[in-house]
Amino acid sequence: MDPRLKIILQGNPKEELSLLIRLTNEKKYPKNCKVVSQFGDIISCRVLRENLGSVYASLEVKSVKAPRVIPADDFEQENQAYYVETRHSVSNKQPSNVVFGLIDFGFDFTHQDFIDNGKTRFEKIWTQSGRFDGNKYGYGKMISGSQINDVLQEQFPFRKLGYHPGQSDLFGIGTHGTHVLGIACSNGKVSEKGFASNSPVIAVDMGSNLVNGSNLSLGDSVKLVEGLDFILREAGNRPVVINMSLGGHGDAHTGQTLVEQAIDAILTRRKGTAIVQSTGNYFQAKAHTFGDIKQNETIDIPWFFKKNDFTPNELEIWYDGNDIMSVTVIDENKNVLLKSIPFKDEMIVKNNEEVGICLHRKNEPNTGKNHINILINGKQNSKFWIVQLHGVKTANGRFHCYIERDDKGQSIFLPKMVKTTHTTNSICNSKYSIVVGAYNQTEKERSILSFSSSGPTIDGRMKPEVIAPGYKIKSSCSSSSRDVRAADKLCSKSGSSMAAPYVASLIVKILEKNPDFNIKQIRKKLFETCEPFSLKNDHLEVFRAGNGYVNPGKIIT
């Protein structure tokens, strides 16, 4: 059973749980399961806790996953806003036939970059953390373009709509969603004009909240899949490009999470559709290692914690389904906190207090791999632990180990053990999504930025597939929590989050000319226009560059 599923087993039996399920047959559903959205054999659904066991055991079900937190793929932001003295003139233009979809947080509909002729470019915003308005998904509220237009001239437009995009932005540094949207879709009044400057916008605000000390943590994997469903339903038969600059460190990195399988189902079944994702900013995170272990061999994996870190921490180990490994956990004082039996879930105890749990699963149904998940409740009170991995039976022996992202108290591996390849974000490894790394566009050498994550996927596929500008990108700045509407401001941010919407906007140009292109044709068109990346001293750089630099000139002409 999925580790997070085990954690939510206990509680009110009548509570409705949100889940992702992979069906054995996409036309047959388990009993006591309310389907909310479906892409191929992947469904999001609601199940009462008392029925979770029977649904899990149902012959109609191949895999059940509990929601997993999805953080924004942010990296660097300057605590400074840039005021623009003059606005560019914006001529009247025909709206694009291609919809720009965005799943993120904090969309400032009052910013001039998204208003043409006094009317909003937003067709609809689903604010998932808003007060429930009775929509089919069962949470959040939908804000239509006409509702936005009705309040644009009001003194307090955010209050009028009950949605403030900068509610989590206390210091006026700008929200992630507004900045990302400006890169792709700005009409040029304040920010530089985006390639999708006349596309209608459909946005999903997953909300921002404090999870593990991070205010960049958004909703979860279930809400993400339902956000995709919402955008595609609203887009109707029109071509659509969806940008998702989201993801964490963990999972198997084989493209087989249920989110990634849903993405591939969308892209292989719907023409005129592309999903663009950031590769992640984890190249230097010191959160990944891998190795090979022989039978009866023991490997020590030192796991270091920040001083006074009271946030939860998480470590995952993935290894071949035909192997058997056991785990021992020892603290810096050589106290044995856990000596595990393979495939048995056990508590981690320190000074007679439960400080965590080790969950060990055999043959996870989507990957076939075995999965060890160590979850700490924040009470470890240690400088470091030694995670000892022992090969009980090893025909293959390869393992990959990830520390999950924690923006307030990021724990790390011993630096000399760190591996920087296979560090793409947790949900960007599907076969057909287009994944983007970041380079420094201010340098003549156009070097890949130090933080931009590296592929390949664990199963050997190229991710990221292209690289785009991502260094101190100035784009639309949203209102802070103290503002009543947007000023004419820009803010600067760096990251693969900034590179992804640049590429997404270029794909809009491809689909404007070729609205019936399928995903293979879209990918081919994009990749064949790229300028190759020149390898110098480090041959591993190919795993960060993919097909090379996107070339807007070749795409547009």
Side-chain angles (χ1 to χ4, degrees), residues 263-311:
I263 288 170
D264 276 342
I266 291 167
L267 296 175
T268 54
R269 296 178 182 219
R270 191 182 193 277
K271 288 186 176 181
T273 306
I275 294 176
V276 181
Q277 297 177 267
S278 53
T279 189
N281 306 309
Y282 311 135
F283 187 73
Q284 296 178 319
K286 301 182 180 68
H288 170 243
T289 189
F290 66 81
D292 297 290
I293 189 168
K294 299 176 183 176
Q295 191 151 323
N296 296 320
E297 181 183 14
T298 299
I299 292 179
D300 287 353
I301 306 173
W303 184 10
F304 287 85
F305 306 104
K306 278 193 171 182
K307 187 177 181 180
N308 300 321
D309 176 21
F310 298 106
T311 62

Side-chain angles (χ1 to χ4, degrees), residues 505-517:
S505 68
L506 286 171
I507 296 173
V508 167
K509 307 309 290 183
I510 292 174
L511 287 177
E512 283 176 347
K513 296 179 181 178
N514 307 279
D516 292 327
F517 263 17

Side-chain angles (χ1 to χ4, degrees), residues 79 89 94 145 284 317-318 326 372 393 415 451 469 507:
N79 296 328
S89 60
Q94 193 70 20
Q284 296 178 319
I317 301 171
W318 294 83
S326 65
I372 298 170
K393 173 191 169 186
F451 49 76
I507 296 173

Side-chain angles (χ1 to χ4, degrees), residues 322-340:
N322 294 315
D323 292 347
I324 300 175
M325 299 186 188
S326 65
V327 170
T328 300
V329 176
I330 303 169
D331 71 9
E332 73 264 38
N333 297 316
K334 299 184 178 179
N335 298 311
V336 176
L337 311 183
L338 168 76
K339 194 171 182 64
S340 78

Side-chain angles (χ1 to χ4, degrees), residues 453-527:
S453 289
S454 172
T457 61
I458 298 299
D459 56 331
R461 291 174 292 109
M462 183 185 290
K463 296 283 180 179
E465 289 136 320
V466 296
I467 48 177
Y471 181 67
K472 292 188 176 180
I473 304 296
K474 290 183 180 181
S475 181
S476 316
C477 186
S478 62
S479 306
S480 75
S481 58
R482 299 183 297 273
D483 295 330
V484 297
R485 66 185 319 114
D488 294 338
K489 290 192 297 184
L490 304 177
C491 54
S492 174
K493 299 180 188 291
S494 299
S496 59
S497 277
M498 287 66 250
Y502 185 86
V503 174
S505 68
L506 286 171
I507 296 173
V508 167
K509 307 309 290 183
I510 292 174
L511 287 177
E512 283 176 347
K513 296 179 181 178
N514 307 279
D516 292 327
F517 263 17
N518 62 37
I519 188 58
K520 290 183 179 179
Q521 291 170 310
I522 294 168
R523 289 166 61 88
K524 182 175 184 293
K525 184 71 172 177
L526 178 68
F527 299 160

Side-chain angles (χ1 to χ4, degrees), residues 437-441 443-448 465-469 502-503 506 526-536 541 545-552 554-555:
Y439 72 84
N440 188 340
Q441 74 284 356
E443 289 182 347
K444 184 179 179 181
E445 298 81 7
R446 297 190 295 176
S447 58
I448 298 175
E465 289 136 320
V466 296
I467 48 177
Y502 185 86
V503 174
L506 286 171
L526 178 68
F527 299 160
E528 70 185 9
T529 60
C530 288
E531 298 177 29
F533 179 81
S534 177
L535 295 175
K536 295 177 182 175
E541 287 285 87
N547 292 281
Y549 306 97
V550 291
N551 187 325
K554 286 187 177 181
I555 290 171

